[in-house]
Amino acid sequence: MLERDYLRRGVLEFVGVFALIFIAAGGASFARSPMDLAFANGLVIAVMVSAAGPISGGHINPAVTLGFLVTKRIAPLLAVVYWVAQFGGAILAALLLKWVIPNGAEAATNLGAPALGSGIGSGQAVVIEAVLTFFLVWVVFASAVDPRGTFKQVAGLAIGFVIAFDVLMAYGLTGGAMNPARAFGPQLAGNHWAHFWVWYVGPFAGGVIAACAYELLYLRPERPEPVGTPESGVEEPGAGKAALS
């Protein structure tokens, strides 16, 4: 039964990342402006996160999954299932793009793989990707994880907006990937590995920092939950701790 549940969740992550790569990487190949690409990225994430959220949580990003793992909000085995599904969806979508894009087109050469802009060094690019992914995972935790989140039912919309403004800012600098799977699929299908580590170190680092910071600041209780019953008139916060009354 557990295996079936993991499979159901993994399929949703696979489909979500497949959609992201097919739409975002395909859009990057033919987009007329960064605005077009930002809208495409934000829209596909908003829709897919909303669709997958009730079952898999709608991570659709290995960096988001890592943030959940380091804060112990996902079982290690399930995290591995998610990563296999996410990278698998990215590979299949990129290979399909390679097949459907006309031969000889410039788009068939890069397949939407992220690349560094003119004058941007790999160190600067890592910081940019880390900061962008920090914003993304921060909003994921604030809107989809925090029970006080005002966007609980429409978290996908908030997350999609973050993706959109991140891409608007960074498309000409790093491609605005914020997602190791978003980079890996096109890199593998198109054999583009220049500065490849930028789109893994940056997003993973930014995701972990955001997840841990939000967990520490807003999700951990300020004091242990009382263990005494109201009828006893004594509420002990924990063994060996002073009673509240």
Side-chain angles (χ1 to χ4, degrees), residues 8-25 40-41 43-53 56-62 82 85-90 93 179 181-182:
R8 292 171 63 245
R9 297 184 186 199
V11 168
L12 280 171
E13 290 296 310
F14 179 95
V15 172
V17 175
F18 182 96
L20 171 65
I21 302 303
F22 197 77
I23 300 301
N41 276 266
L43 186 61
V44 69
I45 286 294
V47 170
M48 288 299 164
V49 168
S50 298
S56 75
H59 294 191
I60 313 181
N61 186 332
Y82 277 23
Q86 291 159 354
F87 283 109
N179 185 331
R182 166 67 182 85

Side-chain angles (χ1 to χ4, degrees), residues 10 13-18 21 60-63 65 79-95 179-188 193 199-200 203-204:
E13 290 296 310
F14 179 95
V15 172
V17 175
F18 182 96
I21 302 303
I60 313 181
N61 186 332
T65 301
V80 172
V81 171
Y82 277 23
W83 285 327
V84 171
Q86 291 159 354
F87 283 109
I91 293 170
L92 185 59
L95 290 174
N179 185 331
R182 166 67 182 85
F184 182 71
Q187 285 172 340
L188 181 66
W193 299 106
W199 294 280
Y200 303 92
F204 278 135

